Structures are given as structure tokens and as C-alpha cells.
Amino acid sequence: MKRVYPDKEYCIGCHLCELACITAHSASKDLIIAYRDERAASGLSPCKRVFEKGDTCVAISCRHCDEPSCVAACISGGLHKDPETGRTVYDRDKCVGCWSCLMACPYGAIRRHPIENKIVKCDLCEGRAEGPACVQACPNAALKYEER
Amino acid sequence: MKYVIIGNGIASIGAIEGIRKVDAASEILVIGAEDSPAYGRPLISYLLAGKIGPDRLALRPAEFYEKSNVTLKLGTTVTAIDTEAKTVTTDAGETIGYENLLIATGGIPFTPPIPGADGPDVYNFTNLAHAQTLISKAREIKRAVVIGGGLIGLKAGESLFDRGVEVTILELSPRILSLAFDENAASLAGGRLAEVGLAVRCGVSAKEIQRDSAGNLKGVHLTDGDFLQTDVVVIAIGVVPNYGLAKESGLEVDRGIKVDDHMRASAPGVFAAGDVAQARDLLYGDDRVIPIWTNAYNQGFCAGKNMAGADVRFLGSLAMNSISFYGLPTISVGMVNPPEDDASYEVTAVLDEKKKSYRKLVFQDDHLVGYVLVGDIDMAGMYTAFVKFQMPIPEEARRQLVAGEPDVLMWPDDFFQETWNPGTPE
Amino acid sequence: MLFQPVNKNYHEFCIDRDPDLCISCKVCVRQCSYQAHFFDEARQKVVHDNTKCIGCHRCEALCPTAALNIRNKPSDFRTNKLWRPVFLQNIYKQADTGGVLLAGMGSPVDIPVYWDRMLLDASQVTNPSIDPLREPMELKTFLGAKPRKISVENDKNGKPSLKTKLSPQIELEVPIMFAAMSFGAINFNLHQAMARAATETGVVYNTGEGGLHKSLYKYGRNTIVQVASGRFGVHLDYLKAGVGIEIKVGQGAKPGIGGHLPGEKINDKVSETRMVPIGSDAISPAPHHDIYSIEDLLQLIFALKEASEYKVPVAVKIAAVHNVAAIASGIVRAGADIVTIDGMRGGTGAAPAMIRDNVGIPIELALAQVDQRLRDEGIRNQASIVAAGGIRCSADVVKAIALGADAVYIGTATLIAVGCTICGRCYTGKCPWGIATNDPKLSKRQNPDIAAKKLTNLIHAWGHEIEEMLGGMGLNSIESLRGNRDKLRGVGLSDTELDILGIKHAGR
Ligand SMILES: Cc1cc2nc3c(=O)[nH]c(=O)nc-3n(C[C@H](O)[C@H](O)[C@H](O)COP(=O)(O)OP(=O)(O)OC[C@H]3O[C@@H](n4cnc5c(N)ncnc54)[C@H](O)[C@@H]3O)c2cc1C
Ligand code: SF4
Ligand code: SF4
Ligand code: SF4
Ligand code: SF4
């Protein structure tokens, strides 16, 4: 399956991937509205996390692991592996906000939703025609979406 | 039958998914004593609290079993296993042959001998039926006493409280959550419960349950001489491995069913997983029963793959708990209360009572072996990585961890590359 | 402004931030290596300090909401044709610091750009034009000494073969090369990108005077190695690594001046390649201390030819100065196979501003004169001429070739292709585009995958355009254009200028 692979050699820590992620997951699909209003009003937040240490940066999100720890940990059936697409799928309606997955995922790929008792996790921009927004927005090709 | 699984909990689901990773077709039979398809056992407290409806209990979508070619025999209890003949017998009198058998019978509530416990209105809280009973009870009662200040006890107490019941929780040891948490975390959690209005009493337990002549529950006599009036008593002290069936069939048991590093029990073709199994611990390397959800799934998954002919070693259980108390999240992973006299451990703790935030890290030599987070839990997974992957932590990285800033760039370079950005395609 | 020199407010640029668009996402804050943008905790928003902006436009380019405009500061001094603002600014600066004014990139001063004063011809009716999409078009160029005449012999089956022994040649698919920009002045990522793009497009790049990193030896077939006065990174394997060796005598942006790579730019990779200690300044002396005459130059040329076993041509690069034609003649007579002439608008990583803006002559004049002189002396065939310094587009390339160049070097254009906005602050080592910097945090802004692609595209695009212009003139090979000044006409030029360029005025 295609996944998003981050390259720490060339990530410049610009955080544009995060901005792209929130825009893609916003109601307005408009960066300015998403960032200014939707973040505060509905707790819109990115699935990406940019780490910076010394001169190195990297932007990570869910790896869509083959054998995901988050799925093993989820007590509600809110996370499962889609056997067809291979994606680790989050079902918001089932999630009870127990944070088991957040604890279990050793990749730090799961965050708490800032307002609701739900998690925020990469869905590989499900349904977005252009593919993952973060990859498209990265100015330095530090994110690649490909089959490996 | 190629695969037979006894029990329909999460270990069973793990096994089905494990088998299907290796063997896409052969038929699987699941025999479960409970009536419903696998549900999120921990969700019973959410159900009791009224946070979710019964429609949200199912762990997998309705079509899961069909798609996975699994036959479910629910409401059916296995009464005997014949490991020689390779058969199981059910309470319906049926005898079913197996090639591979998984025993995933979970745990049963531990009930200490308390005089007066036998009789109406004394309950356990480990399955859906218990929750349903308590829900219907909650409508008519005013007070409840929960015996046990561990995770399940507190959850039961919180849920009943949410139903409008006045709750007192009794904990024998000097503090709640003595197993999974340390003093600071426990006091933050306890504080939160007290703030909301739950009564938590530590250092006391029930000496006797008082009933009237008709046998109706009246109250509880405590070890410190007090008496609490109550309408129900919930005994939630913990679970013990449900290995009776296995033991009777001659399988080796210790504290749980003994399994090797492939989750194989002592008879050919028989595996065990979940709360009933005593399996390798990731950190200590010895075999333990760690009755938590993730381990049950992982053990089931590993057993499933091996049942289907793969050769997969179980990496080991890792104790981890995530539980929130009225919006105050707490997480504990691995070794959180190291023996005080062992100098190889080093503990760092940062407590901010005002912010209700606490971070405790337990290092052994240059490894992180456990941690507790209260309040600010967002980086939990990043800490888990250090425990789970047992990465060596140089001095500078340790400072960062202690400061609450773990990150992936602290990982050894090769491991990072392998994990996040493996070989580019040709 | 408090706490700053009084003239600080005479800054060069203004950052316009559209409050309707700016969302305070801090992208600009992270991009600006001069700290012009910052998050103001008191106001809880991103704000900026105009005095710090050096006009590189990096923030403007990356702002996701297009909220930024970088403008020249509108405030101006009283109009004065003599005392133009730049002189005031410079004096204020020097009165504050007491230092030499430093500058980066090519000279921005208003000296005639003859490219813009020359126009190309096209065929009409007779000698019809050629459609390069339908007909073969040859841009292939060979650099090196050509024989005065060739002799051919036939074997017993009557099959002809070349009897003359040819000198080594550099083969180019397009007569454009990436100019010498040393590893150290620009970073490894760009060196790699140039090497890859040169390989991809069948041209060559020049290492510059900083040596060749060992990981780039594999691109040797598309590399010219340079030997300059500092002799950085020069050793036998290096000399044999490429398809040509260039002795750098001078540089158009700073004729008569050596080079100085500050110690801060010398990281481990640079140190290893240049063979100088990490963190120590790398100083190229103004002259080669072993070249004080044409005879000395001859010795060096042949020393290098010996070392490289006469397998590759040797070039000599000089700055375009007053006597350039005579010097070029001497160079050819000293045995150089290629003469590189770098005009005064050529780029640099760092040069004293006074030198850059006041020394040397424009490349167009120098080129025309050198070509003419070598022809007059009958030695034009002994060396190829490469023109450099301010080639901005494919038309400039075509005009240079018509003036007599065999090929051109592009330096500034190369950098612009990967983002450079010619802000001219290369010497600070803080290049926000990650070009003229070895700061790992900045240099990774140049992903060699992207940079190589852009450079490849540029060569391809210019190649197509050159074919089109050639076709328009009814030529089907770049060979037919070389020194073909009849294809050029001057506009608005004096008789002297026309005479030097060797072209007629438009209309004639
Ligand atoms: C209220 C509560 C909250 C919890 N919260 C958490 C939590 O937040 N996080 C966490 O990690 N863990 C939690 N746990 C523990 C977790 O639920 C268990 O570790 C997990 O359910 C174990 O799964 P299992 O498949 O091994 O066994 P079980 O879930 O116990 O399933 C065993 C099944 O086997 C059936 N069975 C038993 N014997 C037979 C037989 N002879 N024939 C047929 N069927 C049989 C039983 O009826 C049962 O359905 C909680 C437990 C409870 C009770
Ligand atoms: S959330 Fe974590 S464990 Fe789950 S699939 Fe993503 S990276 Fe893997
Ligand atoms: S937070 Fe939601 S998705 Fe995560 S484990 Fe809990 S229920 Fe599952
Ligand atoms: S793929 Fe989409 S959802 Fe995932 S991190 Fe990138 S932008 Fe966010
Ligand atoms: S957009 Fe690309 S370069 Fe910028 S932070 Fe994200 S991954 Fe790194």
C-alpha cells in the first residue's frame, strides 16, 4: 500500500504540512478560516507532528502499521485495519476517548482532540482526489507518498 | 474443525485476525459463554455511566465474523477438553474435534470471603450482564459501596455515581490504584474523584455485609468499626485467570495457563492467550499474568498466527493502563513502582498539583522501563516507544525525556530510518 | 527605533503583511534566517522588524496565505543624480563600521548591457527558416583545441578514417555549462544537483576552486575540475577526475582580488574536500604564486597536462579586463585548450563592493575582442572560447555564440533556477534559500532531487529555445552560428561600440 514517508534529511521544519492537513480536514477547506476560526471553534488540529532537534526536523503522522499497536489497544473497536486498503481506520463514532491507543502507539501518531473526547489521527486524506495534502504541500519533497 | 477458540473476548478477536493473516480460508469456530459477539469489556463502565448506548459495544462490525469465515457458538460453555482425542465438549452436550485450540477464557472476578456476601444485591463488575443488572438497579437505589480501589472498582464507582447514586469506594491498602500507579498519581486521581463527590476511603475494607432477617442488604461493617448504609455492594477487587477448565484437562497451569514463547500450552495443538495465560513479560523476561486488554489482543494475534502454521515469537507483554477520572487522564506503562532497595533504578518525577499534572519516569541503567503521566498525556506514545523498543538513552536524551519532550529524532538513526523511511523503491 | 544606530531606519526593504491574510502561522518566522519576522508574545501575533529584512523574499515565497509583500522602502532621500541613495547608505554604514563594503552576486550597477543592444536575424523567403521540431538540429559542441587541418586516409577497402590525431575534447549536448561555484561557497546539495543535472543533460559543471567531494567522483564525465590560487583540494586523483581542468586566474566579479571563505563555512565535508582544517579561513591569494608570466602559466598548463596524461583539455579562466584580448592570446600560446572569459557582471559569493562595481569590462566587449584577436592571429582554432558573467537567457547564449563564444557558463542563472532572488547577501552565510550557505539547517532547503530537476529543466528549455532561434535564422547547427556576427545587429550603439563588437547597426 502507499504510505507517507518522511525524510528527515530534507525536512526544513516549515510546518506547511500541518497547515495543509488542517485545511484538508476543515469544513471550509480554506486555510485562513480553518486556522483562524475552525481551530478555536471546533478544535480542528493536524494529524502531523513536526519534531525539531538541533538542525534536524521531521514531520510524522500515522504509519498505518501492518500490525498496529493502536488497534490492539483500542477498547471500543474505534480503530481497525481495513483489510482491503491496508489503512488503519479510525471510526470517530465508536471512539470513547479512553486514550489507550494514544498510549500504545509507540510512534506518537495519535493526539487528543483538543475539545472533544476523541482522537486525531491521519486518515491519509481519505477521499481527497489529489492524495495526501501534507505531501502535496511540502515545498521540499520531504514527504513522499508511495508504495515501498 | 481446523481452529477452535474458547472464549469470545478480545484475545479471541486477536486470534481470528492473526489466523486470517496467515490462513485466509479455513473455518474457525468460536465458542463463547456470553450471549453477544465480542464487545469492548472496558466499555461496560461507559455503558453503566450512560456515556454510550448498547449499540456501541460491539468491537467489530456485524459482518466481521461472516467475512472472516467464523462460526459463532454463543451462550455456550465448554465443559471439558480432551487433549488426547483433540476434542472439546460443550454444555449443550456437543463434542467438537479440533486441530488447533485456543483457550481464551479470560478472567473471573476475585471474590474474597466476606460474611454476608452471599445473597441479593452484591455484584461483580466484569461483564455486560453485570453492567445491565446494575443499570436497572441504579434506577431504584440511592447508595452503593464499591469494594476495591483499583481500576475496575474506581470505574464502577464513577459510573454508578454518574447514574445519580451516592458512592463510597473502599480500598484496603493505604491508597487507591496501588498496582498501576504510584502515590502521586493516585492522589491526583483520588483528588479528582473527591472533587466531584465520590467518597474514597483507603486503609479500610468490608468486614461483614449486614442483612436483615429477610436477607435484604442493609449495609457494610468496615474494618475500622464504621458502618455504611447501602443499597448495593459491588465487589471489584480484580480478576483471576479462568483456568479451571484447562487445569481439569491436564494442562500445566501456574498462576495462569503456562505458555511458551509461541503461546503454546502444554498439549499439542493447544494455545492460550489473554487474561487466562501466563506469558513472557517484555521487560522482565519471566512469565506473568498481566490481565490487560492490549496484551490479550497481542497474545491472541500471536497465537492465531502460530495456530495457522506461522512461526512467530511473542514479543512479550507490557503492562499499560490508560484511564481517566472525570476528565483527568492518567497513563501508566511498564514498571512504575520499582523496588526501593534496588539501586539500578532511577526515578524522576515532576508534580504540578495546581495544573494536576504529573510525570514520573523510571529508568534502569540507560533504559526507560516505565512511566506515569497524569494530566498532560499527549506524549505518552513517544515514551512508550522508549520502553517498548528498549532503546538506549544517552544522557542528553534522558534530560529531554525528563523535561517532558520525548521525540522521534532521539531514536538511533538506523532505527529511525528503518521505521519511518525504509528503503526507497528502485 | 530605540537602542539602534540612528540611521537604522534607513533600511532597504519593507515587509507588507496583509492583516486580512496573515494567520500568524509562523512559517515566515521559521524561514527568515535574519530574524526579521517574530512572534510577539505581547500582541500574540506574528510581527516583523523591517530593518532586518535583506529582501530575499523567502518568506513571501513560502507564506501559505500570500500575506506578504517585500517592497523597496518607499521613503527616499531628496532626488540627487550624483548622491544617489546607495552612496549615502554606504557612507552611513562605513561611518558606523569602518569596514570594507562587502557584496555578493554580480554587480547591479548601471553599466550598458550589450546583450540588450544586440538583435538577432531571422530568414525570410530566401534561405528559409527551419522548424526544429521537424528537422534535425545540432547543438552538440566540442571544447578543446582543433587541428588547423585534418587529413584522412583510406584503408584497402576504401573506407576513410581520420589520420590527424585530435586533442582531447569536452563534449556538450548544449553549449551551456554550470559555472564554477566552489563547494564551500555553495553547499554540497547544489554541487550534487549540478553534477546530476549535467549528467542528465549531457553538459558539464565546474567544481570551482573548492575541490571535489569524493561522493561526486562518479559524475566525472560531466565535471571540469578547477585549480585556483589556493590550490584547495587539488591532488592527482582530483586532476584526473573530470573531463577538463580549468586554471582559475581571475574572476569577473573581482578581478585582481583573491578569495576568502570564512572559517564558519568550513564544515567537515568542506574541510575534507578542500583539505583545510575545520573552521579555519580558506584564503585564495590574489595571484597564483607560481605564475608571474605567460611562461609560468605555460609551465602550469603543461604540468597539469602531464599529471592528467594529456587526456583532458586544460582551460584558463580570466576576468574581462582592459587588455583581455592580448592576455587571451598569450594564454592560447601558452598551450591552453580553452579560454574562459568572465565578464564584470559575473557572480561571486563575496567581493568588496568597490571592486565588483568598478573593475573590469562587460563580457560582450571582451568576448568580441578576444575572438577577433585570436582570429587575426590565426590561432582561434587552438582554443575554444567560453563566455561567462551575466548570461540571463537563451538569447544571451545565442548572441554570445554569434559573437564568437563556443559555449557559455551560467552561474547566477543556475542559482536563480533553484530559488536565488539575488539578494546579494551570499557572504553572510545565512542564505535563506539554502544556496550560499553550509549551515545544515539552511542548506537542506536545497533538496538535490528538486534542484537537479530544475537545472535539468532549465538546460532543456534553453536548448529548445536555442534550436528555435537557430532555425529562425535558417541554421541547423550551432557550429554555423559561431562567430557569425552577421546574425547580429546593434541598436542605439555608438560607432566605437559597434566596431568593438564587430557588428553593424540595425538597419544596415
Ligand atoms: C470493567 C473492566 C474495565 C477494564 N478496563 C480495561 C482498560 O481500560 N484497559 C485494559 O487494558 N484492560 C481493561 N480491562 C481488562 C480487559 O478487559 C481484559 O484484559 C480483557 O478483556 C481480557 O480479554 P480476554 O479475551 O483474555 O478475556 P475476556 O474478555 O475475559 O473474555 C473471555 C470470554 O471467555 C468466555 N468464557 C470463559 N470460559 C468459557 C468457557 N468455558 N466456554 C466458553 N466461553 C468461556 C467468557 O464468558 C468471556 O466472554 C478491564 C476489565 C474490566 C472488567
Ligand atoms: S496510530 Fe500508531 S500504531 Fe496505529 S497504525 Fe498509526 S502509527 Fe501504527
Ligand atoms: S481513544 Fe478511541 S480510538 Fe483510541 S483506543 Fe480509545 S476508543 Fe479506541
Ligand atoms: S496524509 Fe492527510 S491526514 Fe495524513 S498527515 Fe498528511 S495531510 Fe494529514
Ligand atoms: S512541509 Fe515538508 S519540509 Fe515542511 S515541515 Fe512538513 S515535511 Fe518538513
Side-chain angles (χ1 to χ4, degrees):
Chain A
M1 71 173 290
K2 281 177 146 187
R3 292 183 168 92
V4 175
Y5 296 98
D7 185 349
K8 73 179 165 73
E9 213 62 46
Y10 294 110
C11 172
I12 61 172
C14 64
H15 292 244
L16 285 171
C17 48
E18 287 183 356
L19 297 176
C21 188
I22 66 160
T23 308
H25 293 80
S26 66
S28 62
K29 306 283 181 243
D30 176 307
L31 170 58
I32 297 175
I33 297 172
Y35 196 85
R36 273 206 195 126
D37 308 335
E38 292 186 48
R39 271 193 325 152
S42 64
L44 180 65
S45 49
C47 313
K48 276 238 122 67
R49 202 176 226 158
V50 180
F51 285 107
E52 199 168 337
K53 186 170 165 242
D55 299 324
T56 315
C57 319
V58 72
I60 61 157
S61 50
C62 171
R63 297 170 68 243
H64 296 268
C65 307
D66 283 331
E67 294 178 2
S69 309
C70 61
V71 171
C74 179
I75 60 164
S76 71
L79 286 163
H80 73 274
K81 214 56 200 160
D82 183 325
E84 263 120 64
T85 63
R87 294 180 175 191
T88 303
V89 181
Y90 173 56
D91 180 346
R92 190 184 157 77
D93 293 337
K94 298 215 75 178
C95 173
V96 295
C98 70
W99 320 133
S100 298
C101 52
L102 182 151
M103 158 183 74
C105 167
Y107 307 107
I110 292 180
R111 299 179 154 188
R112 282 188 289 173
H113 189 282
I115 297 176
E116 291 162 58
N117 240 358
K118 302 280 176 186
I119 61 158
V120 178
K121 187 190 84 67
C122 165
D123 60 358
L124 287 175
C125 285
E126 170 93 79
R128 189 174 184 271
E130 304 88 337
C134 52
V135 176
Q136 199 191 0
C138 177
N140 211 31
L143 296 171
K144 297 221 167 66
Y145 182 55
E146 58 195 20
E147 197 91 38
R148 282 195 188 168
Chain B
M1 187 66 62
K2 182 96 193 254
Y3 307 107
V4 174
I5 300 173
I6 311 177
N8 189 25
I10 186 63
S12 171
I13 294 285
I16 295 169
E17 292 179 352
I19 291 170
R20 285 293 169 250
K21 270 241 149 184
V22 182
D23 174 350
S26 314
E27 209 184 331
I28 302 172
L29 172 68
V30 173
I31 308 170
E34 291 185 77
D35 289 332
S36 55
Y39 59 90
R41 188 166 306 283
L43 292 183
I44 62 173
S45 66
Y46 293 79
L47 184 73
L48 176 55
K51 288 181 187 155
I52 62 170
D55 55 310
R56 277 173 59 183
L57 287 171
L59 266 181
R60 291 293 181 264
E63 64 279 8
F64 170 77
Y65 293 101
E66 200 190 300
K67 274 199 179 164
S68 309
N69 192 20
V70 174
T71 312
L72 273 183
K73 254 185 211 303
L74 296 181
T76 309
T77 303
V78 172
T79 50
I81 305 170
D82 183 339
T83 57
E84 292 290 318
K86 286 197 156 191
T87 58
V88 295
T89 308
T90 70
D91 56 357
E94 218 179 335
T95 297
I96 301 158
Y98 65 80
E99 277 175 49
N100 295 284
L101 177 71
L102 177 69
I103 306 175
T105 48
I108 38 172
F110 172 62
T111 315
I114 303 172
D118 290 334
D121 292 330
V122 175
Y123 305 100
N124 287 122
F125 187 58
T126 58
N127 63 29
L128 184 52
H130 298 147
Q132 280 158 342
T133 316
L134 284 171
I135 289 170
S136 50
K137 255 304 177 195
R139 286 191 202 109
E140 57 202 55
I141 61 172
K142 279 230 276 297
R143 283 168 302 227
V145 168
V146 176
I147 303 176
L151 290 169
I152 301 181
L154 295 183
K155 272 302 180 193
E158 187 182 316
S159 308
L160 281 168
F161 186 82
D162 285 345
R163 289 261 167 194
V165 179
E166 225 174 86
V167 174
T168 306
I169 298 169
L170 305 179
E171 169 58 52
L172 180 59
S173 50
R175 60 181 165 89
I176 56 169
L177 296 168
S178 51
L179 281 182
F181 288 94
D182 70 344
E183 217 159 312
N184 289 323
S187 95
L188 283 173
R192 182 76 193 115
L193 292 176
E195 227 172 66
V196 177
L198 276 90
V200 181
R201 299 182 60 163
C202 293
V204 288
S205 190
K207 198 161 74 189
E208 187 183 346
I209 291 170
Q210 174 81 47
R211 295 181 182 278
D212 66 10
S213 49
N216 293 326
L217 183 68
K218 282 288 144 199
V220 182
H221 289 286
L222 305 188
T223 45
D224 64 357
D226 258 4
F227 177 75
L228 293 175
Q229 281 196 332
T230 188
D231 306 316
V232 296
V233 171
V234 178
I235 302 180
I237 295 183
V239 292
V240 289
N242 183 11
Y243 59 56
L245 176 67
K247 198 174 176 185
E248 281 155 29
S249 61
L251 291 166
E252 272 181 47
V253 298
D254 178 22
R255 264 160 308 184
I257 300 176
K258 291 178 90 170
V259 292
D260 66 7
D261 60 357
H262 282 59
M263 305 310 298
R264 289 182 288 237
S266 60
V270 181
F271 296 74
D275 283 6
V276 75
Q278 181 176 333
R280 193 184 115 88
D281 181 275
L282 177 79
L283 293 177
Y284 305 98
D286 60 351
D287 293 348
R288 302 181 175 211
V289 178
I290 304 182
I292 63 157
W293 186 263
T294 316
N295 288 339
Y297 179 91
N298 287 335
Q299 291 175 6
F301 192 75
C302 175
K305 287 210 246 179
N306 288 325
M307 287 162 77
D311 177 12
V312 184
R313 273 190 38 191
F314 179 58
L315 286 179
S317 310
L318 178 60
M320 50 168 82
N321 286 286
S322 167
I323 173 170
S324 301
F325 301 98
Y326 290 102
L328 180 71
T330 67
I331 283 177
S332 81
V333 170
M335 159 70 87
V336 293
N337 291 313
E340 265 163 38
D341 49 359
D342 190 337
S344 68
Y345 292 99
E346 197 188 316
V347 175
T348 66
V350 186
L351 174 67
D352 185 335
E353 291 198 47
K354 260 216 195 92
K355 281 200 197 142
K356 293 217 173 65
S357 121
Y358 179 56
R359 175 171 66 247
K360 172 184 188 173
L361 305 181
V362 181
F363 295 94
Q364 187 173 31
D365 306 324
D366 61 346
H367 288 79
L368 184 69
V369 294
Y371 71 89
V372 178
L373 297 177
V374 178
D376 187 4
I377 58 157
D378 287 296
M379 297 311 265
M382 284 281 146
Y383 285 110
T384 302
F386 285 95
V387 179
K388 182 166 176 172
F389 302 136
Q390 301 185 359
M391 291 180 267
I393 303 169
E395 199 45 50
E396 185 209 350
R398 180 185 293 215
R399 268 197 298 275
Q400 230 182 304
L401 288 184
V402 170
E405 294 158 359
D407 86 42
V408 278
L409 292 171
M410 297 160 64
W411 293 14
D413 215 44
D414 292 351
F415 184 59
F416 176 93
Q417 217 51 32
E418 204 179 290
T419 308
W420 289 102
N421 197 14
T424 33
E426 287 310 307
Chain C
M1 266 283 158
L2 276 175
F3 319 124
Q4 283 187 327
V6 285
N7 52 40
K8 193 77 180 172
N9 277 355
Y10 305 148
H11 49 84
E12 290 176 89
F13 298 97
C14 276
I15 299 170
D16 275 358
R17 185 185 305 279
D18 185 333
D20 284 342
L21 297 177
C22 176
I23 54 174
S24 288
C25 68
K26 302 192 198 137
V27 167
C28 52
V29 177
R30 297 186 192 99
Q31 289 305 308
C32 183
S33 44
Y34 293 89
Q35 278 90 42
H37 301 263
F38 57 97
F39 187 77
D40 185 333
E41 291 293 343
R43 296 178 175 80
Q44 281 295 303
K45 61 179 184 181
V46 172
V47 296
H48 53 262
D49 176 351
N50 286 323
T51 65
K52 290 187 170 153
C53 174
I54 52 94
C56 78
H57 294 256
R58 176 77 184 180
C59 55
E60 183 182 331
L62 267 83
C63 173
T65 62
L68 296 173
N69 273 310
I70 305 301
R71 289 185 300 124
N72 283 323
K73 188 170 191 257
S75 157
D76 213 338
F77 298 99
R78 176 183 294 278
T79 309
N80 189 318
K81 291 290 181 205
L82 179 64
W83 290 102
R84 295 193 301 275
V86 54
F87 293 110
L88 275 66
Q89 299 271 26
N90 284 346
I91 290 174
Y92 293 142
K93 213 179 287 172
Q94 291 186 291
D96 280 343
T97 65
V100 170
L101 292 168
L102 271 185
M105 297 312 288
S107 175
V109 295
D110 187 16
I111 285 169
V113 178
Y114 291 99
W115 303 129
D116 298 338
R117 297 267 169 273
M118 288 186 285
L119 299 171
L120 291 167
D121 195 17
S123 321
Q124 304 294 308
V125 186
T126 59
N127 182 22
S129 48
I130 299 168
D131 180 353
L133 294 177
R134 291 158 186 260
E135 318 241 358
M137 187 63 76
E138 194 58 83
L139 297 188
K140 185 164 283 211
T141 300
F142 292 92
L143 301 182
K146 310 290 185 299
R148 184 164 298 278
K149 62 177 199 294
I150 53 165
S151 47
V152 177
E153 62 185 0
N154 295 325
D155 66 9
K156 43 188 180 304
N157 304 324
K159 211 174 153 222
S161 65
L162 195 59
K163 206 169 145 200
T164 316
K165 196 174 170 316
L166 290 179
S167 317
Q169 303 285 320
I170 297 172
E171 185 177 339
L172 303 174
E173 292 302 324
V174 183
I176 302 171
M177 302 182 286
F178 300 119
M181 291 177 282
S182 71
F183 173 35
I186 63 172
N187 57 58
F188 178 77
N189 291 345
L190 284 168
H191 261 242
Q192 198 199 349
M194 287 197 294
R196 281 165 57 181
T199 304
E200 174 80 23
T201 54
V203 303
V204 305
Y205 83 106
N206 188 312
T207 60
E209 61 176 300
L212 179 63
H213 191 260
K214 56 185 187 306
S215 65
L216 300 180
Y217 273 63
K218 58 174 181 269
Y219 301 104
R221 293 201 48 74
N222 300 83
T223 307
I224 292 178
V225 297
Q226 197 178 60
V227 175
S229 62
R231 301 287 151 88
F232 298 118
V234 177
H235 49 83
L236 190 57
D237 289 342
Y238 172 71
L239 294 173
K240 288 178 163 179
V243 290
I245 300 173
E246 183 174 82
I247 301 169
K248 175 196 174 185
V249 173
Q251 184 175 341
K254 43 178 175 177
I257 295 278
H260 177 188
L261 190 67
E264 304 86 70
K265 277 191 157 183
I266 314 275
N267 62 18
D268 49 349
K269 250 186 187 161
V270 175
S271 145
E272 170 189 7
T273 309
R274 287 206 174 215
M275 309 193 303
V276 295
I278 294 181
S280 73
D281 292 6
I283 294 172
S284 308
H288 284 249
H289 286 307
D290 51 0
I291 306 179
Y292 286 88
S293 64
I294 289 294
E295 290 72 23
D296 289 346
L297 178 64
L298 180 142
Q299 279 206 358
L300 180 59
I301 291 173
F302 281 91
L304 295 177
K305 287 190 174 185
E306 277 296 333
S308 57
E309 297 164 14
Y310 294 87
K311 284 188 182 139
V312 299
V314 172
V316 174
K317 172 179 177 177
I318 51 168
V321 289
H322 301 178
N323 261 330
V324 65
I327 299 163
S329 161
I331 289 171
V332 175
R333 288 169 196 282
D337 305 298
I338 300 164
V339 189
T340 305
I341 308 157
D342 196 16
M344 77 165 294
R345 285 185 301 265
T348 174
M354 288 303 129
I355 304 282
R356 183 191 68 170
D357 297 346
N358 296 285
V359 180
I361 64 172
I363 183 61
E364 302 90 324
L365 304 180
L367 170 59
Q369 281 303 293
V370 169
D371 178 62
Q372 196 55 50
R373 178 71 168 255
L374 298 185
R375 282 175 198 273
D376 292 347
E377 292 183 2
I379 54 172
R380 178 65 180 83
N381 65 299
Q382 287 181 29
S384 297
I385 300 176
V386 176
I391 306 276
R392 304 157 301 170
C393 60
S394 57
D396 289 356
V397 178
V398 171
K399 290 170 189 174
I401 288 173
L403 277 183
D406 287 87
V408 303
Y409 269 130
I410 55 167
T412 305
T414 303
L415 302 187
I416 293 173
V418 298
C420 169
T421 56
I422 337 191
C423 71
R425 296 302 175 98
C426 324
Y427 57 90
T428 62
K430 294 202 277 191
C431 174
W433 288 90
I435 298 167
T437 174
N438 295 311
D439 177 342
K441 221 174 162 137
L442 297 171
S443 55
K444 70 182 168 187
R445 294 183 179 184
Q446 289 295 337
N447 182 337
D449 288 349
I450 299 177
K453 182 81 200 135
K454 287 186 185 257
L455 296 179
T456 302
N457 285 344
L458 184 72
I459 297 293
H460 283 156
W462 285 19
H464 290 312
E465 290 177 341
I466 293 171
E467 287 178 350
E468 239 154 40
M469 283 180 268
L470 278 184
M473 289 186 268
L475 304 178
N476 63 2
S477 133
I478 196 88
E479 231 15 83
S480 324
L481 180 68
R482 188 152 300 121
N484 189 347
R485 300 193 197 181
D486 199 34
K487 297 292 181 200
L488 293 172
R489 290 291 185 274
V491 274
L493 296 178
S494 70
D495 286 350
T496 315
E497 288 166 319
L498 291 169
D499 178 44
I500 293 169
L501 289 167
I503 60 175
K504 293 182 193 141
H505 201 279
R508 281 255 157 83

